[in-house]
Amino acid sequence: MPELPEIESLRRILARSVVGRTIVSARVTDRRLRQPVTTRFASRVSSHSIAGVSRRAKYLIIELDDGKSEDPTAIIMHFGMSGSLTRRDGKFDGSGLDENHDHVELDLDDDTKLVYNDPRRFGLVLLTHLSEVDSTPELKDLGPEPLSEDFNADYLAKVARGRKTAIKNLIMDQGVVAGIGNIYASEVLFRAGVQPNRRASLVSREEIERIVAETKPLLLESIKRHGTTFRNYRDISGRPGRYGKLLMVYGREGEKCLKCGNKIRAITVGQRSTFYCAHCQK
Ligand SMILES: [Zn+2]
């Protein structure tokens, strides 16, 4: 499942490569995503240029401009479990991507196209006005971005107060902090030395500070490396992410802890596989 670093690295590549291009035409070959794609999609985006690409949590926002609207159209994309967005030209190597799951295509004026593919259809392709992006049902209740100043120890200590939920569930709660999923939650807590199933309200101030301090460099490093490796995820150029090799606990059950050599354990917290080192994490 793509997480924040995957979407942010995709955003950065798109910001460099497609901003300023015009959408010549568009096609929706299958509307059946988590919510149906609007039947007016093609007509509402055609002849618009791409004015910018932004991100909120794991949502990618493609800002359009038709040269006349005061409040232009925006495309909001979410990639669900298995979605991808690839920019393709005649030489694109589509191996591993099943064309039967190319649901939405945007033809650009440089003879490339952006293709939204999602085999499992948990993703979203929505249209809204730019001024309304933050108030859509999907985005309106999201907590602060983990890379912003608003995500700090004072804030996290405040939301942890009185919460009986496990600390891992708390930092995966999109209303608490937006964009941290299962992988980075496990990794952050390992680096902070905090066991994932500790009750949030009992995590000390010092531990909260370590969690916040470890989150930002981990996400930034992962963004730099184009996200994590997943079978179904490719970055815009079709390359898989490379972060996988640097994961210290996620997916490493039974393997040696890279800090102390004890075995990494796997438990279930909030119905999600959770990896930790019982020696390094208290
Ligand atoms: Zn260890």
Side-chain angles (χ1 to χ4, degrees):
M1 184 192 288
E3 294 202 23
L4 185 152
E6 285 75 25
I7 309 305
E8 177 60 21
S9 58
L10 178 60
R11 185 199 70 76
R12 291 181 182 189
I13 292 165
L14 290 172
R16 285 198 299 267
S17 57
V18 303
V19 169
R21 300 253 71 102
T22 296
I23 301 170
V24 183
S25 52
R27 274 175 309 287
V28 180
T29 46
D30 195 334
R31 299 174 52 225
R32 296 170 300 163
L33 297 177
R34 179 146 52 100
Q35 286 174 36
V37 180
T38 172
T39 49
R40 296 190 300 142
F41 184 88
S43 61
R44 280 186 63 190
V45 305
S46 295
S47 308
H48 288 53
S49 63
I50 299 176
V53 186
S54 56
R55 180 190 59 74
R56 180 78 170 100
K58 298 183 224 176
Y59 293 87
L60 187 77
I61 297 140
I62 301 177
E63 303 163 11
L64 303 182
D65 180 14
D66 63 358
K68 48 185 190 241
S69 303
E70 295 260 313
D71 189 8
T73 301
I75 307 172
I76 302 178
M77 288 184 178
H78 190 273
F79 298 92
M81 306 288 287
S82 57
S84 65
L85 182 69
T86 43
R87 182 167 174 229
R88 304 183 190 177
D89 60 14
K91 292 175 293 198
F92 181 79
D93 173 10
S95 55
L97 280 172
D98 184 346
E99 284 179 13
N100 292 322
H101 300 293
D102 290 348
H103 303 313
V104 180
E105 301 188 19
L106 306 176
D107 299 316
L108 304 184
D109 61 351
D110 61 351
D111 289 328
T112 64
K113 55 183 180 176
L114 286 175
V115 181
Y116 181 91
N117 178 294
D118 186 4
R120 295 181 66 183
R121 303 172 186 279
F122 287 108
L124 286 172
V125 177
L126 302 171
L127 280 187
T128 185
H129 288 286
L130 192 55
S131 68
E132 291 163 9
V133 166
D134 288 334
S135 53
T136 55
E138 288 74 22
L139 274 71
K140 69 180 170 56
D141 296 322
L142 291 170
E145 287 287 320
L147 293 172
S148 73
E149 302 272 312
D150 293 337
F151 181 63
N152 55 51
D154 286 343
Y155 167 76
L156 189 59
K158 198 173 117 205
V159 294
R161 208 169 292 152
R163 293 288 292 267
K164 288 181 184 166
T165 189
I167 183 65
K168 176 163 177 264
N169 293 340
L170 189 79
I171 61 173
M172 281 179 65
D173 180 340
Q174 301 301 297
V176 170
V177 53
I180 297 183
N182 199 34
I183 295 165
Y184 294 100
S186 281
E187 293 295 317
V188 161
L189 292 172
F190 175 74
R191 286 160 170 79
V194 177
Q195 283 208 12
N197 52 4
R198 291 255 310 277
R199 187 186 276 212
S201 59
L202 300 179
V203 174
S204 72
R205 170 71 193 205
E206 194 197 334
E207 289 168 326
I208 292 274
E209 283 174 9
R210 291 207 300 266
I211 290 168
V212 171
E214 294 292 346
T215 299
K216 301 184 188 216
L218 174 67
L219 292 175
L220 289 170
E221 177 68 13
S222 184
I223 290 166
K224 217 166 80 182
R225 291 166 177 264
H226 297 241
T228 320
T229 298
F230 286 100
R231 199 160 30 100
N232 286 315
Y233 184 76
R234 315 266 207 97
D235 69 18
I236 193 76
S237 57
R239 287 175 307 186
R242 289 164 287 174
Y243 186 71
K245 285 180 186 142
L246 285 193
L247 293 179
M248 296 179 88
V249 287
Y250 186 84
R252 297 192 64 241
E253 181 183 10
E255 293 176 37
K256 278 185 180 167
C257 172
L258 298 172
K259 278 188 193 164
C260 74
N262 284 301
K263 277 193 178 160
I264 300 296
R265 295 185 189 179
I267 52 171
T268 302
V269 178
Q271 287 147 15
R272 305 297 299 273
S273 310
T274 300
F275 302 89
Y276 75 107
C277 172
H279 179 77
C280 293
Q281 292 170 260
K282 302 296 173 200

